[in-house]
Amino acid sequence: MKKILLLFLVSISMFFYGQKKYVVVIHGGAGTILKKEMSPELEQKYRDKLKEALTKSYEKIKEGKSSLEAVEAAIVVMEDSPLFNAGKGAVFTSDGRNELDASVMYGKDKSAGAVAGLTVVKNPIKAALAVMQKSEHVMMIGKGAEQFSKNQGLEIVNPKYFWTQHRWDALQKVKKAELKANQPNAFNNYHCPSYYWVDRKFGTVGCVALDKEGNIAAGTSTGGMTNKKYGRVGDAPIIGAGTYADENIGISGTGWGEFYIRTSAARTVAAKYEYQNKDVKTATEEVMLEIEKLGGDGGMIALDKNGNVAMTFNTEGMYRGMVTEDGEITIEIYK
Ligand code: ASP
């Protein structure tokens, strides 16, 4: 009898072990995204780009490639599109430049790479990966990170490549609002009034993937926040704030970065999952609530080793989507 029971348990565990679900989940930023303000053509463009990112990423996983390659594939598609605040289409700093941040983490061995303040590297996510795989460091910034990227043979572009009219217009709008409120240093104030950030259009991109081997990777890439000043760096390149992955779970965030840094947002989700046995949905909701209480907003995606997904946000919308093992793609934008 005992033997039969043991056999039964072994076969059950093998059944579950053999059932690796590969999944990819992405976001393209959270913010004031309202259906009434979106033309059907623009909405279609977003949907098509998110679908392309998911498809490219899914193909990698299906071929048996690692979750890291899947994350890179999805993020490169979104970085190359002017629709998102990452790579081409990044927002402008206060002095009218584009400074890009990105990070990546691999859950299996907790290796990580991050870059901040890049101005000439076409795909910051590739630079973050190179830091992780080709250097002894985790984070590089500014000129040094650019020199390293060049040495690694990454594509270098003229800073003008990142210029887009809609992001330029957004900068002028935020500057006007700032002047009007006579609060030029509002960025230094954690409790700055809502006029200041409503128009700053989040649009960071991120991806979490689970591969056939059951390994999770997470990555995030951004231009930061419109009108950022003094070499400001947000949460996206901070491991544990905007990005985190371990053997259990992967997370990528988007939103008002200062609050994600102050709450160690991504790592806190993983800690809740591991130490408090919270599921992905509860863990992300609790962290978003903490961010909200402090006055921040945004969203996050999370994916666990069993293929459970959360796409949580406290803004009007978040560009988001996922693809499951069977190839089925879901894309959503609004609440
Ligand atoms: N989290 C990014 C930052 O603060 C912005 C965003 O998600 O759009 O730099």
PDB file of all heavy atoms in Angstrom, residues 85 202-204 222 224-225 232 234-235 254-257, ligand 1:
ATOM      1  N   ASN A  85       8.110  55.216 -24.430  1.00  0.00           N
ATOM      2  CA  ASN A  85       9.141  56.030 -23.788  1.00  0.00           C
ATOM      3  C   ASN A  85      10.368  55.166 -23.456  1.00  0.00           C
ATOM      4  O   ASN A  85      10.679  54.896 -22.310  1.00  0.00           O
ATOM      5  CB  ASN A  85       8.552  56.666 -22.526  1.00  0.00           C
ATOM      6  CG  ASN A  85       9.590  57.367 -21.688  1.00  0.00           C
ATOM      7  OD1 ASN A  85      10.666  57.712 -22.174  1.00  0.00           O
ATOM      8  ND2 ASN A  85       9.271  57.572 -20.413  1.00  0.00           N
ATOM      9  N   PHE A 202       3.946  58.565 -18.767  1.00  0.00           N
ATOM     10  CA  PHE A 202       4.769  57.376 -18.589  1.00  0.00           C
ATOM     11  C   PHE A 202       4.681  56.535 -19.870  1.00  0.00           C
ATOM     12  O   PHE A 202       3.719  56.629 -20.587  1.00  0.00           O
ATOM     13  CB  PHE A 202       4.277  56.568 -17.397  1.00  0.00           C
ATOM     14  CG  PHE A 202       4.165  57.360 -16.132  1.00  0.00           C
ATOM     15  CD1 PHE A 202       3.048  57.246 -15.333  1.00  0.00           C
ATOM     16  CD2 PHE A 202       5.162  58.231 -15.736  1.00  0.00           C
ATOM     17  CE1 PHE A 202       2.937  57.971 -14.154  1.00  0.00           C
ATOM     18  CE2 PHE A 202       5.063  58.957 -14.574  1.00  0.00           C
ATOM     19  CZ  PHE A 202       3.937  58.832 -13.779  1.00  0.00           C
ATOM     20  N   GLY A 203       5.608  55.695 -20.138  1.00  0.00           N
ATOM     21  CA  GLY A 203       5.543  54.886 -21.358  1.00  0.00           C
ATOM     22  C   GLY A 203       6.728  53.943 -21.423  1.00  0.00           C
ATOM     23  O   GLY A 203       7.086  53.421 -22.482  1.00  0.00           O
ATOM     24  N   THR A 204       7.291  53.759 -20.258  1.00  0.00           N
ATOM     25  CA  THR A 204       8.404  52.823 -20.103  1.00  0.00           C
ATOM     26  C   THR A 204       7.990  51.433 -20.589  1.00  0.00           C
ATOM     27  O   THR A 204       6.808  51.096 -20.529  1.00  0.00           O
ATOM     28  CB  THR A 204       8.735  52.772 -18.596  1.00  0.00           C
ATOM     29  OG1 THR A 204       9.286  54.028 -18.249  1.00  0.00           O
ATOM     30  CG2 THR A 204       9.687  51.666 -18.227  1.00  0.00           C
ATOM     31  N   THR A 222      13.697  52.620 -20.323  1.00  0.00           N
ATOM     32  CA  THR A 222      12.938  53.875 -20.258  1.00  0.00           C
ATOM     33  C   THR A 222      13.757  55.101 -20.651  1.00  0.00           C
ATOM     34  O   THR A 222      15.000  55.052 -20.634  1.00  0.00           O
ATOM     35  CB  THR A 222      12.413  54.101 -18.817  1.00  0.00           C
ATOM     36  OG1 THR A 222      11.515  55.206 -18.809  1.00  0.00           O
ATOM     37  CG2 THR A 222      13.548  54.413 -17.848  1.00  0.00           C
ATOM     38  N   GLY A 224      12.822  57.702 -18.873  1.00  0.00           N
ATOM     39  CA  GLY A 224      12.621  58.367 -17.577  1.00  0.00           C
ATOM     40  C   GLY A 224      11.360  59.208 -17.579  1.00  0.00           C
ATOM     41  O   GLY A 224      10.359  58.797 -18.173  1.00  0.00           O
ATOM     42  N   MET A 225      11.415  60.367 -16.953  1.00  0.00           N
ATOM     43  CA  MET A 225      10.231  61.223 -16.886  1.00  0.00           C
ATOM     44  C   MET A 225      10.516  62.572 -17.541  1.00  0.00           C
ATOM     45  O   MET A 225      11.586  63.152 -17.360  1.00  0.00           O
ATOM     46  CB  MET A 225       9.806  61.417 -15.432  1.00  0.00           C
ATOM     47  CG  MET A 225       9.172  60.147 -14.864  1.00  0.00           C
ATOM     48  SD  MET A 225       8.810  60.235 -13.119  1.00  0.00           S
ATOM     49  CE  MET A 225       7.354  61.274 -13.111  1.00  0.00           C
ATOM     50  N   ARG A 232      19.030  63.078 -13.232  1.00  0.00           N
ATOM     51  CA  ARG A 232      18.091  62.230 -12.479  1.00  0.00           C
ATOM     52  C   ARG A 232      18.042  60.807 -13.061  1.00  0.00           C
ATOM     53  O   ARG A 232      18.003  60.608 -14.271  1.00  0.00           O
ATOM     54  CB  ARG A 232      16.693  62.873 -12.540  1.00  0.00           C
ATOM     55  CG  ARG A 232      15.599  62.075 -11.855  1.00  0.00           C
ATOM     56  CD  ARG A 232      14.836  61.180 -12.813  1.00  0.00           C
ATOM     57  NE  ARG A 232      13.647  60.612 -12.206  1.00  0.00           N
ATOM     58  CZ  ARG A 232      12.904  59.654 -12.752  1.00  0.00           C
ATOM     59  NH1 ARG A 232      13.221  59.163 -13.920  1.00  0.00           N
ATOM     60  NH2 ARG A 232      11.841  59.202 -12.142  1.00  0.00           N
ATOM     61  N   GLY A 234      15.800  57.192 -12.597  1.00  0.00           N
ATOM     62  CA  GLY A 234      14.587  56.645 -11.983  1.00  0.00           C
ATOM     63  C   GLY A 234      14.784  55.214 -11.499  1.00  0.00           C
ATOM     64  O   GLY A 234      15.909  54.774 -11.244  1.00  0.00           O
ATOM     65  N   ASP A 235      13.689  54.510 -11.406  1.00  0.00           N
ATOM     66  CA  ASP A 235      13.710  53.148 -10.865  1.00  0.00           C
ATOM     67  C   ASP A 235      14.097  52.092 -11.894  1.00  0.00           C
ATOM     68  O   ASP A 235      14.572  51.011 -11.528  1.00  0.00           O
ATOM     69  CB  ASP A 235      12.325  52.789 -10.317  1.00  0.00           C
ATOM     70  CG  ASP A 235      11.274  52.857 -11.425  1.00  0.00           C
ATOM     71  OD1 ASP A 235      11.256  53.868 -12.170  1.00  0.00           O
ATOM     72  OD2 ASP A 235      10.487  51.906 -11.565  1.00  0.00           O
ATOM     73  N   THR A 254       6.543  50.233 -13.973  1.00  0.00           N
ATOM     74  CA  THR A 254       6.502  51.488 -14.724  1.00  0.00           C
ATOM     75  C   THR A 254       5.687  52.491 -13.939  1.00  0.00           C
ATOM     76  O   THR A 254       4.654  52.145 -13.372  1.00  0.00           O
ATOM     77  CB  THR A 254       5.887  51.299 -16.125  1.00  0.00           C
ATOM     78  OG1 THR A 254       5.740  52.594 -16.715  1.00  0.00           O
ATOM     79  CG2 THR A 254       4.535  50.613 -16.092  1.00  0.00           C
ATOM     80  N   GLY A 255       6.155  53.713 -13.887  1.00  0.00           N
ATOM     81  CA  GLY A 255       5.413  54.725 -13.146  1.00  0.00           C
ATOM     82  C   GLY A 255       6.358  55.770 -12.597  1.00  0.00           C
ATOM     83  O   GLY A 255       7.483  55.927 -13.097  1.00  0.00           O
ATOM     84  N   TRP A 256       5.915  56.434 -11.582  1.00  0.00           N
ATOM     85  CA  TRP A 256       6.689  57.519 -10.998  1.00  0.00           C
ATOM     86  C   TRP A 256       7.853  56.910 -10.208  1.00  0.00           C
ATOM     87  O   TRP A 256       7.693  56.476  -9.063  1.00  0.00           O
ATOM     88  CB  TRP A 256       5.762  58.340 -10.101  1.00  0.00           C
ATOM     89  CG  TRP A 256       6.313  59.669  -9.730  1.00  0.00           C
ATOM     90  CD1 TRP A 256       7.589  60.107  -9.836  1.00  0.00           C
ATOM     91  CD2 TRP A 256       5.564  60.752  -9.185  1.00  0.00           C
ATOM     92  NE1 TRP A 256       7.692  61.387  -9.397  1.00  0.00           N
ATOM     93  CE2 TRP A 256       6.467  61.817  -8.990  1.00  0.00           C
ATOM     94  CE3 TRP A 256       4.223  60.936  -8.826  1.00  0.00           C
ATOM     95  CZ2 TRP A 256       6.073  63.034  -8.449  1.00  0.00           C
ATOM     96  CZ3 TRP A 256       3.828  62.149  -8.287  1.00  0.00           C
ATOM     97  CH2 TRP A 256       4.752  63.188  -8.116  1.00  0.00           C
ATOM     98  N   GLY A 257       9.018  56.887 -10.849  1.00  0.00           N
ATOM     99  CA  GLY A 257      10.152  56.096 -10.390  1.00  0.00           C
ATOM    100  C   GLY A 257      10.610  56.342  -8.972  1.00  0.00           C
ATOM    101  O   GLY A 257      11.035  55.409  -8.280  1.00  0.00           O
TER     102      GLY A 257
HETATM  103  N1  ASP B   1       9.577  54.598 -14.081  1.00  0.00           N
HETATM  104  C1  ASP B   1      10.123  55.502 -15.067  1.00  0.00           C
HETATM  105  C2  ASP B   1      11.005  56.497 -14.347  1.00  0.00           C
HETATM  106  O1  ASP B   1      10.615  56.985 -13.313  1.00  0.00           O
HETATM  107  C3  ASP B   1       9.106  56.221 -15.844  1.00  0.00           C
HETATM  108  C4  ASP B   1       8.043  55.363 -16.470  1.00  0.00           C
HETATM  109  O2  ASP B   1       7.761  54.272 -15.997  1.00  0.00           O
HETATM  110  O3  ASP B   1       7.498  55.780 -17.471  1.00  0.00           O
HETATM  111  O4  ASP B   1      12.043  56.820 -14.856  1.00  0.00           O
END
